[in-house]
Amino acid sequence: MQSTALSTILDSGVCQGAYRLTGDDVEPLKPAKDTHRDAARRTRDLWASLGAIVSDVDLMIGKRNEALSIASHKGGMILETAGPVNIGILRAALQHEDAVRPTQQLANESDLGAGIRALWALVRWIENVEASRAIRVQAGDSAIRLFARKGLFGLPDGAKIEDVATKILNAGQAGASVTLTYEPWPDTAPEMRLRPTELLPAAGADATDWVFDDAGVPAAVPRSATMDDATKASALAQRLSSWGEGRPFEVSVLRNGTTKQVVARKGPDDRILITTSNFNSTMHPK
């Protein structure tokens, strides 16, 4: 039975849709338009991707202009509103509800652009290499050769590591094919001392924030990141982009007994910033 406080929120003019998680779908708690249910599903997907990184989220609040998308693990509830909601009253109204969380999930890799899929594939190839392997990357008209052994790689003399990702991503954006093939090991090869994630654009030495463009392509990656970190962060960036629908946004979380903390934002420059260093996160191990 809904409390009076919760009914007041659900019946208010700003509450466009109220839903409860049922399995992997959302069940409406009040009549709503199909567009609002679709929005709630995108909020559920965002919540699930965030849960794969930040493990102890009590409440997620996504803001685009005055509109809010709110997801509460107490009651498994999602609200889509056209204006502000009293979060304190909402939390109090749901405090005795059972905890319900969406299944943690990553975005489908097919959602990624061709360039970032190819870059991810190259990083994984290098990570999984044990024996000495020469790898040829054909990115449109550009051919790149790398040498890998035991999860590390090297580049020929004169080759720049930042050019590898740039050529792959540019080829994908231009609609050109990107292929990876193994080649015979040469008589001489460079030293294998580069980690595969160094193919991704690095943030500052002490940075713990991630920056993505609106297509989920990394623009800055913490130096301590692993490939698993990068996959989770990229998936979250994709969900943020889908949920944000091209608008500036801010996504915050609350945990039990804590104040609101921002975990992601996007400004007018279309760059998505993700920060998890202040949370109980599966990323950035100390």
Side-chain angles (χ1 to χ4, degrees):
M1 181 180 295
Q2 292 178 8
S3 67
T4 301
L6 182 57
S7 295
T8 299
I9 292 173
L10 301 191
D11 294 338
S12 68
V14 299
C15 185
Q16 297 176 320
Y19 304 86
R20 194 180 297 274
L21 282 174
T22 55
D24 288 330
D25 205 355
V26 293
E27 176 186 350
L29 299 179
K30 59 181 282 187
K33 297 178 180 179
D34 289 344
T35 54
H36 296 145
R37 186 166 189 166
D38 291 340
R41 286 171 172 150
R42 288 192 295 273
T43 299
R44 173 209 57 197
D45 290 345
L46 173 57
W47 184 15
S49 291
L50 181 61
I53 295 175
V54 184
S55 60
D56 56 351
V57 175
D58 176 22
L59 202 71
M60 181 188 81
I61 306 167
K63 183 177 181 180
R64 294 163 298 187
N65 298 326
E66 293 301 313
L68 299 180
S69 296
I70 303 169
S72 169
H73 87 283
K74 289 293 185 69
M77 184 170 290
I78 293 174
L79 301 181
E80 299 293 336
T81 79
V85 170
N86 190 312
I87 299 299
I89 292 177
L90 177 64
R91 293 183 80 182
L94 295 173
Q95 64 179 324
H96 299 302
E97 295 278 345
D98 292 335
V100 180
R101 298 181 186 272
T103 303
Q104 293 181 4
Q105 58 185 260
L106 300 178
N108 292 326
E109 192 154 312
S110 59
D111 295 340
L112 293 164
I116 191 64
R117 288 203 309 272
L119 182 57
W120 253 224
L122 175 59
V123 172
R124 290 197 186 98
W125 274 34
I126 296 170
E127 277 197 330
N128 294 328
V129 162
E130 285 296 326
S132 299
R133 305 299 295 264
I135 302 172
R136 177 186 176 89
V137 183
Q138 189 69 42
D141 295 331
S142 298
I144 309 161
R145 203 176 189 205
L146 302 91
F147 305 90
R149 182 191 300 123
K150 295 187 180 298
L152 298 174
F153 76 101
L155 292 171
D157 289 343
K160 296 180 179 179
I161 190 170
E162 59 269 21
D163 289 343
V164 178
T166 298
K167 289 178 179 179
I168 292 173
L169 294 173
N170 286 348
Q173 188 173 21
S177 64
V178 181
T179 59
L180 309 179
T181 54
Y182 287 125
E183 291 189 337
W185 189 256
D187 292 334
T188 60
E191 186 178 355
M192 310 294 122
R193 59 183 182 184
L194 299 171
R195 294 179 297 108
T197 50
E198 291 183 63
L199 286 165
L200 308 178
D206 298 323
T208 55
D209 293 341
W210 301 71
V211 182
F212 291 85
D213 70 13
D214 207 27
V217 176
V221 173
R223 294 185 187 278
S224 62
T226 65
M227 188 56 199
D228 183 55
D229 293 342
T231 300
K232 290 176 181 178
S234 184
L236 178 57
Q238 293 168 68
R239 298 300 194 198
L240 285 162
S241 182
S242 174
W243 169 82
E245 298 181 306
R247 290 174 282 176
F249 61 72
E250 180 179 280
V251 175
S252 305
V253 298
L254 289 90
R255 296 171 290 169
N256 288 326
T258 68
T259 57
K260 184 171 71 171
Q261 294 176 290
V262 175
V263 69
R265 62 164 55 92
K266 174 187 165 185
D269 61 356
D270 283 340
R271 288 164 78 82
I272 297 171
L273 173 72
I274 298 173
T275 178
T276 58
S277 57
N278 294 326
F279 303 95
N280 182 14
S281 170
T282 61
M283 297 156 67
H284 310 311
K286 300 295 190 244

